[in-house]
Structure formats: C-alpha cells, structure tokens
C-alpha cells in the first residue's frame, strides 16, 4: 500500500482537481468563443413549386423583418413568372403576336437566351411543348412515354431562337408556335432578387436562401465562416445522404438530378430533364450536375445545361461563363471543372 | 485515500451537465472515434458501423447510427455511462477512474451541414 501524503502534488485529489480546472477553463473558453451574439432566424414556406428556406441574421436589422422582405420578393416573382399565370400564360397564348413586356421580363428573357446560346441550346426555356407531352408540366398530370411522331411534332416548336425580343426591349413575340417555361430560371432569379432585397435593407446581413436546392449565400456564417452545403448523393435511399460537401462564403449553387422527378415504364427511368435536341430525357452519362455561379439564376440554368451536355460534348468551357460544374456519372465517378476544388475545402 | 470526495462528485456532475447541454445543441456528422487508454491511443472505431467494442476490459462501447456511448463500465460512478450518446467532437466520453477517453475525430462542429443542393 502506498502511504498517504497530503503534500504530494501528485496525489490523486490534486491530480483530479487540476484536470477538472483545466476542463472547466477549456469549456468556458470554448463557450465564450462560440457564443456569438448573432442569431439566425429561419423561415420556410412553400413557394415557386418547392420549399423555400430563408436563414438570415441582420447586422442592425431584425432577422424576422429581413426574412419577411425576402419572402415578399419571392412571392412577387412567383406570381409574375410562375407557370400558367402572369406573363408566361400571356405569351404562351399570344399566337405569335407582339406582347409588351417590362424591363424585368426583358432582362429575364435575355438572360435565358444568353445561357441557351452559350450552351449551344443545351439549356432551352422553350421546351414547354415537350414537357407537356410527357406530363411533367403539372405534378398531378399522368406521366407517359409519347410516340416518336408526337415528339417530332412538338420538337418543331422548340428553339430559343423562336423567342424574338424587339430591339428596344419593350416587346417580345414567340415564333413557330413556341411556348416558354421560365421555371428553370425564375427560381434562381427569385433567390438573387431576395438576396438583393435583404442587402438593400441591411448591407451586412448574413445567411442563405434555399429554394428547393437552389442555394444563394447572403453572407458568410457569423460573418467569417463558410456555409456547409451538401451535394445530394444521386443514388441513395435516404434523402439526406451527401456525395460531397462544398464550403461557400458567397455565390450560389444549384443541382439538377435525374432522381428529382421521374417515372418508370418497363424498368426504364424517364426523368424530367429533357434534351432539346431529341425531346427525350437527357441521357449523356450524367445523373447529377451541380454548378456554382455568382448568380443563383445562372447556377440553375447552367446546372440544367450541364446535365444535358453530360460527359460528351462536356462542360469544359463552363468557367468561361463564370460557371463551375461538378458532374456525377452513372458509375458515381465525378468530373469537376478546374477551380471547383477550391470550394471542396474550407 | 479516497479518490472521490463529495465535492469532487458535485464538480464532475456539474461538468457533465454542462457537456450534455452543449452536446444537445446540434447533430454532427462524424465518421470515426478515437479511444485513448492511460493517455495512449488504444483503437479507432468506425461510427458508420453499428457494433459494440470492449475497451481494455473496463468498458463496453456501443455504436449506433453514427453515435457512440459507453454502454457498460466497471468504474464506480459510471458517469461515462450516464453521459449517454455523443456525436460531436467537442464532447468526449471521459472515464476518469480508468483513464479512458473516447473522442470523435475527423469533422469539426461547423462541418455539420447547413443546407443541401439537390
């Protein structure tokens, strides 16, 4: 037996207290460091055909006020550019006549045309006749595989070149029976505009807006940390499984995947991202495409284009337009544009 | 001599309570835990596999759904067992009498996902 010596500094009791004191100090320090006064307010609502989440913290303004302002802006865009209402409905029923448009609509249409041009037509917002044929224009519609002749006929109407904007930008007309669908661009546009709205009220506000997976960063987490965004694993039973993480201080990210909306006939999966060249679901070896861009609207549009372009002809030219792509192939191997890797580490 | 006095107990209980409070805050995604016995690395535990492990014949550790806990321990107070599940690297499982420390590694707290693009 060891003899008890109360003065021995290494006695059990002293040892224990030293450890406890150190623990207490480290916990208090940790609490002090992490106990940031900034608080995030999160609000979720069903808009733009998806769940929209705004997480925001203001510098001088109440985050509740900021979130409400953001939602008001998103609601406005949903009303204005949603399917089967507003300007989209008016244009699709216009039968080739000139329709007057405001500056905002001209900007949106011009942006869409530009992405179409830049991607050689891989992104095309005039696919509506094809989408309708397959039944993807409405969640409640019956999905079916159309006949080849039906697709060929509908395809005649499809081309972004059928959208003509007058030189002064005040009017637009749809040629050759073209019909448009702005849902591929309006969701991201709403995110961009809502962020602008928040910034106009409180320049130093931070947070992010997530519109069904189109995510725009308002500002870094607590002003100095990146937001951690998981890229959904395209082949997983659980919806929260992630194939990789990106760390974002600013900018936007969007993903297109064949798992989002699809139906199966005779074991073949027919998904909702169509190839404007064929009128069939795009099938170029890619099952998920993610794009980082300064603008959420363009991230979304380029993500769709990347899915269609797939492995060949591929997306190596994307960085020229400020877009960085991350593609997942059928065998779950990945392709990244040069530069994407900087987002994969903090 | 007595290893634990009454005030030792109160202190430990308080500390554990604080740790638990912190650990309640957020779920963390982690992949691996490191086990130290007597200050030396003893083994690594894969948190993606549901299983139980024997630690130096002192403690039985259980892994479930990416979380880890001390299921049984031969220490007198079983504070490590009462600590329950952990899934964050900030809060290790500590067994002072056996000098066992279980710590989740690999991912820091802000590694927890904020949003998902899909």
């Amino acid at each position: 037996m060891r003899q008890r010596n109360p003065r021995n500094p290494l006695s059990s009791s002293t040892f224990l207290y030293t450890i406890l004191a150190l623990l207490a100090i480290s916990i208090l320090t940790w609490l002090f460091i992490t106990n940031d006064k900034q608080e995030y307010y999160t609000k979720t609502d069903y808009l733009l055909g998806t769940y929209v989440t705004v997480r925001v913290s203001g510098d001088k303004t109440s985050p509740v006020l900021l979130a409400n302002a953001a939602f008001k802006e998103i609601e406005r865009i949903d009303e204005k550019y949603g399917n089967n209402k507003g300007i989209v409905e008016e244009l699709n029923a216009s039968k080739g006549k000139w329709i007057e448009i405001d500056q905002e609509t001209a900007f949106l249409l011009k942006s869409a045309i530009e992405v179409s041009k830049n991607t050689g037509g891989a992104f095309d917002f005039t696919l509506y006749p094809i989408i309708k044929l397959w039944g993807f224009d409405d969640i409640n519609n019956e999905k079916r595989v159309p006949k080849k002749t039906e697709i060929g006929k509908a395809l005649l109407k499809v081309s972004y070149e059928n959208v003509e904007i007058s030189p002064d930008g005040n009017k637009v007309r749809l040629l050759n029976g073209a019909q448009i669908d702005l849902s591929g661009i309006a969701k991201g546009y709403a995110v961009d505009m809502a962020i602008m709205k928040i910034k106009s009220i409180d320049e130093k506000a931070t947070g992010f807006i997530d519109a069904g997976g189109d995510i725009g960063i308002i500002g870094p987490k607590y002003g100095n940390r990146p937001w951690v965004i998981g890229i959904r694993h395209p082949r997983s039973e659980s919806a929260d499984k992630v194939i990789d993480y990106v760390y974002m201080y600013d900018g936007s990210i969007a993903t297109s995947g064949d798992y989002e909306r699809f139906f199966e006939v005779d074991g073949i999966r027919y998904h909702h991202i169509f190839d404007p060249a064929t009128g069939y679901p795009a099938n170029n070896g890619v099952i998920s495409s993610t794009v980082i861009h300064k603008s959420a609207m363009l991230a979304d549009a380029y993500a769709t284009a990347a899915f269609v372009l797939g492995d060949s002809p591929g997306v190596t030219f994307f960085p020229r337009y400020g877009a960085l792509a991350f593609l997942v192939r059928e065998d779950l191997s990945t392709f990244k544009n040069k530069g994407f890797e900087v987002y994969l580490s903090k | 001599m007595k290893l634990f006095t009454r005030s030792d107990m109160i202190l430990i209980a308080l500390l554990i309570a604080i740790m638990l409070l912190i650990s309640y805050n957020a779920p963390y995604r982690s992949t691996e835990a490191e086990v130290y016995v007597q200050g030396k690395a003893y083994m690594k535990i894969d948190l993606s596999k549901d299983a139980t492990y024997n630690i130096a014949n002192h403690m039985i550790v259980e892994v479930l759904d990416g979380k880890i806990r001390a299921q049984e321990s031969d220490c007198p107070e079983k504070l490590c067992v009462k600590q329950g599940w952990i899934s964050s690297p900030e809060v290790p499982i500590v067994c002072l009498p056996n000098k066992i420390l279980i710590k989740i590694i690999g991912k820091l707290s802000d590694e927890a996902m904020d949003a998902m693009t899909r």
Side-chain angles (χ1 to χ4, degrees), chain A residues 14 30 54 61 68 109 126 149 199 201 203 220 224 241 253 285 288 292 306 317:
Chain A
T14 317
W30 184 76
V54 174
T61 325
N68 288 341
L109 292 175
T126 62
T149 49
K199 293 267 183 178
I201 301 169
E203 207 186 333
N224 54 21
K241 194 171 176 202
I253 188 165
S288 157
I292 293 177
F317 64 95

Side-chain angles (χ1 to χ4, degrees), chain A residues 109-187:
Chain A
L109 292 175
K110 279 177 183 167
S111 303
I113 291 170
E114 199 185 315
V115 179
S116 297
K117 273 185 188 157
N118 291 347
T119 58
F123 171 83
D124 199 314
F125 63 108
T126 62
L127 270 169
Y128 188 70
I130 292 286
I131 294 167
K132 206 171 160 184
L133 205 55
W134 288 78
F136 278 112
D137 57 323
D138 196 311
I139 291 173
N140 303 315
N141 279 4
E142 205 193 319
K143 315 282 182 279
R144 66 182 184 101
V145 182
K147 288 193 211 106
K148 264 193 176 145
T149 49
E150 288 178 289
I151 290 174
K153 214 175 131 192
L155 218 46
L156 292 174
K157 302 175 183 172
V158 174
S159 171
Y160 65 93
E161 287 169 335
N162 287 335
V163 181
E164 188 186 350
I165 300 173
S166 65
D168 60 5
N170 291 331
K171 282 181 296 211
V172 65
R173 66 172 170 178
L174 302 178
L175 307 168
N176 303 322
Q179 289 186 306
I180 62 164
D181 169 13
L182 290 177
S183 61
I185 199 162
K187 210 163 65 169

Side-chain angles (χ1 to χ4, degrees), chain B residues 95-116:
Chain B
C95 179
L96 276 178
N98 289 321
K99 297 219 174 72
I100 295 176
L101 182 102
I102 301 168
K103 197 178 158 199
I104 289 174
I105 53 151
K107 309 228 168 173
L108 297 166
S109 68
D110 47 354
E111 198 93 5
M113 192 168 40
D114 293 304
M116 181 186 248

Side-chain angles (χ1 to χ4, degrees), chain A residues 4 12-13 15-17 19-20 23-24 27 30 55 208 210 212-213 215 221 225-232 239-242 245 247 253-255 259-260 290 346, chain B residues 1-9 11-12 15-16 18-19 22-23 25 28-29 88 90-92 94 96-97 99 107-118:
Chain A
R4 185 179 167 184
S12 309
S13 194
F15 177 73
L16 201 66
Y17 274 122
I19 288 191
L20 287 176
L23 257 173
I27 287 174
W30 184 76
R55 182 178 294 179
F208 65 85
D210 175 357
I215 299 161
K221 195 196 275 183
R225 296 219 293 268
W227 292 101
V228 183
I229 316 288
I231 299 173
R232 185 181 160 166
D240 62 353
K241 194 171 176 202
V242 163
Y245 292 95
Y247 301 91
I253 188 165
T255 297
Y259 49 81
E260 290 174 279
T290 298
K346 260 182 274 187
Chain B
M1 72 163 283
K2 251 175 93 183
L3 182 58
F4 289 102
T5 65
R6 180 189 278 269
S7 38
D8 287 338
M9 292 302 162
L11 248 174
I12 294 174
L15 279 169
I16 300 293
I18 292 171
M19 284 173 165
I22 296 166
S23 69
N25 282 340
Y28 295 99
R29 293 171 165 266
S88 108
E90 270 79 21
V91 190
V94 185
L96 276 178
K99 297 219 174 72
K107 309 228 168 173
L108 297 166
S109 68
D110 47 354
E111 198 93 5
M113 192 168 40
D114 293 304
M116 181 186 248
T117 178
R118 55 195 184 270

Side-chain angles (χ1 to χ4, degrees), chain B residues 10-11 54 58 60-61 90 101 114:
Chain B
I10 294 169
L11 248 174
N54 177 10
H58 283 304
I60 306 290
V61 162
E90 270 79 21
L101 182 102
D114 293 304

